[in-house]
Amino acid sequence: MELLYAMTTGVLTACGLYLTLRGRTFPVVVGLTLLSYAVNLFLFSMGGLTTDGPAIVSEGSNYADPLPQALVLTAIVIGFAMTAFVVILAMRARSEVGNDHVDGNKEDRE
C-alpha cells in the first residue's frame, strides 16, 4: 500500500510540475491543482496507513492518526478556493490582454 501511495504521489508531482512550467494559463492552473493533490496525498500518508483501524481509540489498539486527516480536509477547502480564484484571475487576464499566455506575450510562430 505504501508503494502505491509513493508512486501516485510521485506521478502527481511530476505531472503537476510539467504542467506548471507550460506557457498557457490553463495548464498552469491544472498543474497547481495536481500539485495540491500530491501534497494532500503526502499529508494523508504521513498519518500512517492503517486498515480496519477503530474510529474510537481503546487501549492497545492500532488507530489512524486524525490530525493528518484534518489537515487534508482543510487543504482541500483551501485548494478549491485557490483554484477558483486562479481560474477567475486567468479569465480576467485573458479578457484584458487578449491571450492566455502566462507572460502576456503572443508566441511568434510563422
Side-chain angles (χ1 to χ4, degrees):
M1 187 70 153
E2 287 87 5
L3 181 64
L4 178 65
Y5 266 64
M7 288 176 52
T8 306
T9 304
V11 167
L12 283 173
T13 303
C15 292
L17 282 175
Y18 176 76
L19 288 173
T20 303
L21 296 175
R22 305 299 297 169
R24 301 206 179 250
T25 55
F26 183 71
V28 171
V29 171
V30 173
L32 288 173
T33 303
L34 287 178
L35 280 174
S36 71
Y37 290 161
V39 169
N40 290 343
L41 190 60
F42 177 72
L43 285 175
F44 191 69
S45 67
M46 287 298 102
L49 303 173
T50 59
T51 57
D52 298 332
I56 299 175
V57 180
S58 60
E59 286 206 32
S61 65
N62 188 15
Y63 65 94
D65 189 13
L67 181 63
Q69 295 174 10
L71 287 174
V72 168
L73 285 174
T74 305
I76 287 170
V77 171
I78 292 171
F80 180 74
M82 179 210 55
T83 302
F85 176 73
V86 170
V87 165
I88 296 300
L89 190 65
M91 289 172 58
R92 172 91 187 245
R94 180 178 168 96
S95 68
E96 287 187 7
V97 177
N99 60 22
D100 65 341
H101 292 277
V102 175
D103 59 356
N105 297 329
K106 291 183 180 178
E107 293 181 9
D108 294 328
R109 291 187 180 183
E110 295 180 16

